[in-house]
Amino acid sequence: TGRIAGEAFQIIAEGLSNVLRHSASKRAFVDVRCEGGSLLLKIGNDTAADGLDMAEFTPRSISERTQELGGKLFVERRADGYTVVSATIPI
């Protein structure tokens, strides 16, 4: 629906804004997929550029927006040096 598309746009925009504001990363990606009746949004960035061992975090506003849509949020620190925020939203 239009509402879900608008909310997905806001989640992606906020995720990319967070990468710019809170990391030294020069690489980021966005992946948008429909899988099994859900919209899957992944926003990731190369955390190796920071040179820091960052603590675990949950992006508060993205988490709240995802929960309001009945979805779930997961943050993964991958072995390849990327941090990936994944939001799964039912459609």
Side-chain angles (χ1 to χ4, degrees):
T1 69
R3 177 175 182 250
I4 297 294
E7 295 290 344
F9 177 83
Q10 289 300 320
I11 289 169
I12 292 166
E14 178 137 5
L16 291 175
S17 176
N18 287 345
V19 170
L20 288 172
R21 286 187 290 145
H22 302 294
S23 81
S25 181
K26 300 294 183 198
R27 295 185 181 142
F29 70 86
V30 173
D31 185 17
V32 179
R33 298 178 189 205
C34 286
E35 292 182 358
S38 293
L39 180 63
L40 176 60
L41 308 174
K42 291 187 177 189
I43 304 126
N45 68 290
D46 179 5
T47 54
D50 294 329
L52 303 171
D53 184 22
M54 295 177 51
E56 295 295 317
F57 75 100
T58 299
R60 183 184 47 82
S61 60
I62 293 174
S63 177
E64 289 171 357
R65 188 180 300 269
T66 300
Q67 288 177 2
E68 287 171 3
L69 296 167
K72 297 187 186 305
L73 187 83
F74 175 72
V75 180
E76 176 185 19
R77 299 285 308 266
R78 297 188 333 197
D80 64 1
Y82 277 78
T83 297
V84 181
V85 174
S86 300
T88 304
I89 301 164
I91 51 175

